[in-house]
Amino acid sequence: MSEVIARLVVQQGPEPGTSFLLTADVIRIGRTAGNDIVISDPEMSRQHAQLVRQADNYAIQDLGSTNGTFVNYQRVTGLTLLSHGDVIAFGEAVTLAYWDESATDSQPVPPPVLHEQRPKAVPPPRQPAASSPPPVSFAEPAAEASPVQPPLTAEEYEARLAARRRRLLIGCGVSVLLLICLCVGSLFFLDGYQQGRLLYCGGLRPFWELVLGPFGFNPVCP
């Protein structure tokens, strides 16, 4: 049987105070039953993170989770070595403490408290005046947490990029078609206006003679 060198103690999340003994070389942590440590919470991914044994200690690594893995409130980007008393968070709702057995002299580990709340002093009740109405307190509505959007997969990103390209090509094609229709309409209008004098007898006459000259182009100009 492998020697216990560390443990994780749940601080916040399902079943606070639960202790997980760490003995294996690689320990998977996630929401589904196939993991070595199962934490059933919506903040957890199916395979959220893993612990890797290194000599007499462990390091933690995120496995591409949606809500991230944090050590002492810093997001884990690679294999991060743990120390006694480190705070490990999965998302915002699950928090655990890392306890090194050698640092605690193998004594029973009580559930550590990360955020100790001191009792607030309660002032004596004030006696309201007889003529004044009792005070009315209004509770502010709690702000709704914005849902975390999962990152796009490579297939979804390529599909959105292809749709954007199609819309751009369609828009360019429609613009070119409208420009051609406008030019053709203008030519027809100028060809019929004053028998084409404005079109053929102005500064563009050399151009028309070059283009339409072989076809007998001979406009009547004043």
Side-chain angles (χ1 to χ4, degrees):
M1 184 174 182
S2 300
E3 180 185 357
V4 177
I5 65 172
R7 66 181 68 202
L8 293 179
V9 181
V10 178
Q11 295 297 298
Q12 180 181 354
E15 302 180 4
T18 302
S19 179
F20 299 100
L21 304 180
L22 308 180
T23 60
D25 292 336
V26 178
I27 301 171
R28 290 290 182 94
I29 305 173
R31 190 179 70 240
T32 57
N35 296 279
D36 303 300
I37 296 178
V38 178
I39 302 177
S40 300
D41 190 275
E43 287 281 318
M44 300 290 298
S45 297
R46 293 182 178 87
Q47 290 186 345
H48 199 107
Q50 69 178 6
L51 296 170
V52 180
R53 185 170 183 172
Q54 296 185 346
D56 293 334
N57 207 343
Y58 277 94
I60 192 167
Q61 181 181 18
D62 188 79
L63 297 178
S65 63
T66 301
N67 296 320
T69 301
F70 301 83
V71 174
N72 296 331
Y73 311 102
Q74 298 294 325
R75 186 155 191 164
V76 171
T77 57
L79 198 61
T80 302
L81 190 65
L82 297 174
S83 301
H84 174 67
D86 280 348
V87 179
I88 302 173
F90 302 120
E92 298 180 355
V94 180
T95 305
L96 301 92
Y98 176 78
W99 290 87
D100 188 345
E101 292 298 289
S102 61
T104 57
D105 296 329
S106 300
Q107 296 297 323
V109 180
V113 179
L114 299 182
H115 303 286
E116 182 179 359
Q117 296 182 354
R118 299 181 178 178
K120 298 180 180 179
V122 180
R126 299 178 58 184
Q127 297 295 334
S131 59
S132 61
V136 180
S137 61
F138 297 92
E140 296 183 358
E144 297 182 357
S146 57
V148 179
Q149 297 294 333
L152 294 176
T153 62
E155 291 78 6
E156 292 174 341
Y157 177 79
E158 291 295 336
R160 292 192 178 185
L161 188 61
R164 187 178 301 175
R165 290 173 178 172
R166 287 195 298 269
R167 290 194 296 267
L168 181 61
L169 290 176
I170 293 174
C172 292
V174 172
S175 301
V176 172
L177 183 61
L178 291 176
L179 182 61
I180 292 175
C181 293
L182 180 62
C183 293
V184 172
S186 300
L187 288 175
F188 274 102
F189 173 77
L190 294 175
D191 181 72
Y193 182 73
Q194 294 183 357
Q195 296 181 356
R197 294 176 182 176
L198 183 62
L199 178 63
Y200 301 119
C201 297
L204 293 177
R205 179 168 183 172
F207 170 76
W208 295 118
E209 289 178 347
L210 177 63
V211 175
L212 301 179
F215 301 97
F217 175 75
N218 188 19
V220 177
C221 297

